[in-house]
Amino acid sequence: MMLENNKPAPSALNYQLLIKHLLRFPLNFWAEREIVYRDKCRYTYAVFAKRIAKLANVLMQMGVKAGDRVAMMDWDSHRYLEAYFAVPMMGAILHTVNIRLSPDHLIYTINHAQDKLILVHTDFLPLLEGIKNQIGQEKQMIVINDDAADPKTDWSSAGEYEHLIQKASDSFSYPDFDENTLATLFYTTGTTGRPKGVYFSHRQLVLHTMALTMVLSGHSSQFIVNSDDVYMPLTPMFHVHAWGLPYMMTSIGAKQVYPGKYEPERLLHLFGAEKVTFSHCVPTMLHLLLNSPGIETANVKGWKMIIGGSALAPGLCKDAMSRGINLISGYGLSETGPLMTLATFKPDLLNSSDEEQVGYRCRTGVPTPLVEVEIADPLGNPLPHDGVSVGEVIVRSPWLTKGYYRETELSETLWKDGWLHTGDIGFFTSDGYLQLTDRIKDVIKTGGEWLSSLELEDIITQHEAVSEAAIIGVPDEKWGERPIALVVLKQEYRGKVDENDLKAFFAQFAREGRIAQYAIPQKVVLVDAISKTSVGKINKKNIRNQMGI
């Protein structure tokens, strides 16, 4: 039934979804909960709110205005969390700089973003000093130093973070503005071309935070995350807002532990000392933790982890489960903010065997709240969810980037017919789980058939001697392409396992009918390390370049 008068009251508020509103609940309910930085700093949420205001005042005094870009170059820290809030809450845009970029790419991103001010840790100051003539010496700078010493730099506008914070007022009147105002900007390197800027609004980040909370706290699964958890990110805060988890964990008032530079022994120490219960990371980081000497004495049983960034191999999953780590896969891109799917268990799986659970924990996952995912043929037509039909993964959600920053043509390529095109291919199982099979550019085309490099990597990493592996296609006159495998052996197996042993392992899967004969790599190369991108993913473009392909 329609109301006779459905016009809003003249005084009714059109409430905007702004990042500042994420702080209301934790400050009212969990004001004494702690935020910890290594062994160097620990304070309450109440102090956190005051430090956010102090930072906003410092930035305003240095001339930062609404819409200005403020760059951040720091290890994961309480300061980074303060910038997550202070910069967008004052109406400016936080540019989270990838500290692992090459100097050329660093210059490009800072100039392309037109950053007005840079907050930089002393560890990265020499890098900036070396390129300052190419990024403009007129930029303002705040130097971050863990011991709060005055910065040693000839950058004329530099001041030290803690010194500036101490002098500033702990009160700031955060403005109201349109929720579609940009809040963050960062650059995704991918594997081709120049870095591309992706950007997100206040509305998008608030909705992403709410959806994360719904999927991790709102229903029974293999684990639940709530305000009683102790959170430590193992995904860099420069990378897709550390998957949005710092915003979520702040909004629910959980204790947070920021580890600084990622060093496995320190991470395991902090895990035990601070009683960490929840983290997230790429498979490479999980691999480093499981192979760290400290893992032998650390009791990591019950550690909840989301694994994303690249596929979770069954062998790595089993190793983690044998230590008592409770892990699941997640999927998303820099362009998607990133949450798209999580491999959460449906009720009938909760009491299933560990062997069956491995398969589900490694799946790409079920679309999360407010996310639509489809697979499409080359013409963009949706394909059935039958466990067989394979197509490109296309997505819709309210928090996807609207395009690439100042890149109109690339933005149109990313978006088509109202769907964001991921460049990933996969299928949906009949019970609703998405499973990626490869990146479009990494599919191996042999004899008219497509081979999934991810599937072959999953197989070889199940061998007890294999630590890491990458599968790529190489040109072949007869077949078009044939797969080859690059393998890093575990230390204790080096000299005991060779190429023939690993090819025989593949052959066993072929005899069982689980892969075709032509899927057996024609060559297995034992290597000391596998090339990774700046965020820990296998860099197949670089591998191909190194092999002259």
Side-chain angles (χ1 to χ4, degrees):
M1 178 178 176
M2 295 290 292
L3 294 175
E4 292 183 7
N5 181 2
N6 60 358
K7 293 183 179 179
S11 298
L13 174 66
N14 182 17
Y15 195 88
Q16 301 294 294
L17 300 180
L18 301 178
I19 287 173
K20 67 178 181 178
H21 297 317
L22 295 177
L23 286 172
R24 292 188 181 276
F25 174 77
L27 292 178
N28 284 334
F29 208 85
W30 297 113
E32 298 308 309
R33 277 274 167 84
E34 287 187 319
I35 294 171
V36 179
Y37 171 54
R38 293 176 51 185
D39 58 349
K40 295 182 175 296
C41 177
R42 148 185 333 260
Y43 57 61
T44 66
Y45 271 65
V47 173
F48 172 60
K50 292 180 178 181
R51 286 177 61 89
I52 291 172
K54 284 173 172 284
L55 177 56
N57 277 309
V58 168
L59 296 175
M60 184 177 68
Q61 291 163 11
M62 295 183 74
V64 173
K65 303 182 298 297
D68 286 341
R69 271 73 67 202
V70 175
M72 185 76 174
M73 298 177 66
D74 192 10
W75 305 111
D76 288 8
S77 70
H78 62 301
R79 300 171 298 251
Y80 222 131
L81 188 65
E82 291 162 7
Y84 266 30
F85 285 87
V87 175
M89 283 166 58
M90 64 184 297
I93 301 168
L94 178 65
H95 172 197
T96 57
V97 177
N98 184 340
I99 55 179
R100 299 170 184 162
L101 290 177
S102 67
D104 285 347
H105 279 174
L106 188 66
I107 293 165
Y108 174 79
T109 60
I110 291 174
N111 287 337
H112 190 263
Q114 298 175 323
D115 294 324
K116 181 168 186 175
L117 182 146
I118 304 173
L119 296 96
V120 56
H121 192 283
T122 50
D123 286 357
F124 312 115
L125 192 54
L127 178 58
L128 276 189
E129 293 278 11
I131 63 173
K132 67 180 180 181
N133 290 333
Q134 293 162 279
I135 62 174
Q137 298 184 57
E138 74 280 358
K139 294 187 189 301
Q140 302 261 46
M141 177 184 286
I142 295 175
V143 177
I144 296 166
N145 198 342
D146 281 347
D147 60 12
D150 288 328
K152 295 180 179 179
T153 174
D154 58 1
W155 212 292
S156 60
S157 62
E160 198 283 319
Y161 188 95
E162 288 299 329
H163 289 178
L164 294 170
I165 289 287
Q166 289 170 9
K167 299 174 185 176
S169 168
D170 62 8
S171 177
F172 191 92
S173 180
Y174 302 105
D176 287 316
F177 39 75
D178 189 286
E179 62 188 12
N180 294 300
T181 299
L182 294 192
T184 61
L185 166 70
F186 59 88
Y187 285 76
T188 176
T189 54
T191 55
T192 58
R194 298 181 307 187
K196 299 183 288 294
V198 293
Y199 50 88
F200 299 91
S201 68
H202 284 252
R203 169 184 165 82
Q204 289 176 313
L205 294 180
V206 170
L207 287 174
H208 187 271
T209 300
M210 294 170 66
L212 267 175
T213 307
M214 289 170 65
V215 74
L216 291 176
S217 304
H219 66 94
S220 296
S221 186
Q222 62 269 61
F223 66 67
I224 292 175
V225 177
N226 60 35
S227 58
D228 289 334
D229 278 292
V230 179
Y231 166 66
M232 181 170 70
L234 304 180
T235 305
M237 296 179 79
F238 67 72
H239 183 53
V240 207
H241 323 108
W243 301 354
L245 270 303
Y247 283 122
M248 174 193 159
M249 300 311 285
T250 300
S251 72
I252 64 175
K255 177 181 174 180
Q256 302 181 62
V257 180
Y258 288 89
K261 186 177 182 180
Y262 292 166
E263 296 167 335
E265 294 299 308
R266 176 184 291 158
L267 296 176
L268 291 172
H269 167 73
L270 286 171
F271 169 83
E274 301 296 340
K275 297 180 172 56
V276 171
T277 62
F278 173 56
S279 296
H280 48 88
C281 63
V282 297
T284 300
M285 178 54 64
L286 177 60
H287 177 268
L288 289 173
L289 288 172
L290 293 177
N291 287 275
S292 169
I295 196 70
E296 299 304 327
T297 55
N299 180 10
V300 295
K301 185 175 181 180
W303 195 353
K304 296 176 283 193
M305 280 194 183
I306 298 174
I307 308 298
S310 54
L312 172 61
L316 184 61
C317 182
K318 290 176 182 178
D319 286 349
M321 291 175 65
S322 71
R323 297 280 183 182
I325 297 175
N326 186 356
L327 73 171
I328 58 172
S329 295
Y331 169 60
L333 312 175
S334 295
E335 292 84 347
T336 66
L339 177 67
M340 288 285 107
T341 70
L342 280 176
T344 47
F345 286 3
K346 296 183 178 181
D348 59 328
L349 289 170
L350 293 176
N351 296 318
S352 58
S353 67
D354 283 353
E355 190 65 30
E356 185 177 7
Q357 286 191 12
V358 167
Y360 278 90
R361 290 176 190 271
C362 294
R363 287 189 177 183
T364 308
V366 178
T368 54
L370 301 181
V371 173
E372 295 178 56
V373 181
E374 289 293 346
I375 49 172
D377 66 17
L379 297 178
N381 301 309
L383 294 171
H385 298 187
D386 55 11
V388 177
S389 302
V390 176
E392 183 183 10
V393 179
I394 57 176
V395 296
R396 292 198 294 205
S397 172
W399 53 76
L400 310 184
T401 189
K402 298 297 184 183
Y404 292 118
Y405 189 61
R406 298 171 58 197
E407 298 277 6
T408 303
E409 290 186 13
L410 288 175
S411 299
E412 284 301 308
T413 301
L414 178 67
W415 282 94
K416 185 179 179 181
D417 299 326
W419 292 87
L420 187 147
H421 289 249
T422 67
D424 291 318
I425 61 174
F427 62 87
F428 265 105
T429 62
S430 57
D431 56 352
Y433 285 84
L434 175 68
Q435 182 62 57
L436 295 188
T437 56
D438 228 324
R439 293 287 291 170
I440 288 176
K441 61 179 179 285
D442 291 333
V443 169
I444 300 167
K445 305 171 185 68
T446 182
E449 301 291 338
W450 282 13
L451 290 177
S452 166
S453 64
L454 296 183
E455 180 181 5
L456 298 180
E457 288 164 4
D458 282 351
I459 289 171
I460 193 59
T461 53
Q462 293 180 54
H463 192 290
E464 62 180 0
V466 173
S467 177
E468 290 184 285
I471 306 288
I472 62 170
V474 298
D476 183 272
E477 287 188 10
K478 180 178 180 180
W479 299 103
E481 284 186 320
R482 288 296 307 278
I484 69 168
L486 282 73
V487 173
V488 178
L489 293 177
K490 296 176 181 176
Q491 190 66 41
E492 63 268 28
Y493 287 94
R494 296 184 182 184
K496 299 177 182 178
V497 172
D498 61 19
E499 174 183 0
N500 292 329
D501 295 323
L502 298 175
K503 291 177 74 172
F505 189 72
F506 276 111
Q508 178 63 35
F509 277 74
R511 286 193 296 271
E512 295 171 358
R514 296 163 70 179
I515 59 172
Q517 284 288 335
Y518 57 76
I520 300 174
Q522 66 175 7
K523 188 175 183 181
V524 176
V525 182
L526 301 181
V527 296
D528 292 330
I530 291 174
S531 178
K532 305 290 197 317
T533 69
S534 62
V535 293
K537 301 179 183 180
I538 293 175
N539 191 336
K540 293 188 178 181
K541 178 190 176 185
N542 197 39
I543 291 172
R544 293 186 188 99
N545 289 339
Q546 290 172 351
M547 300 186 71
I549 299 172

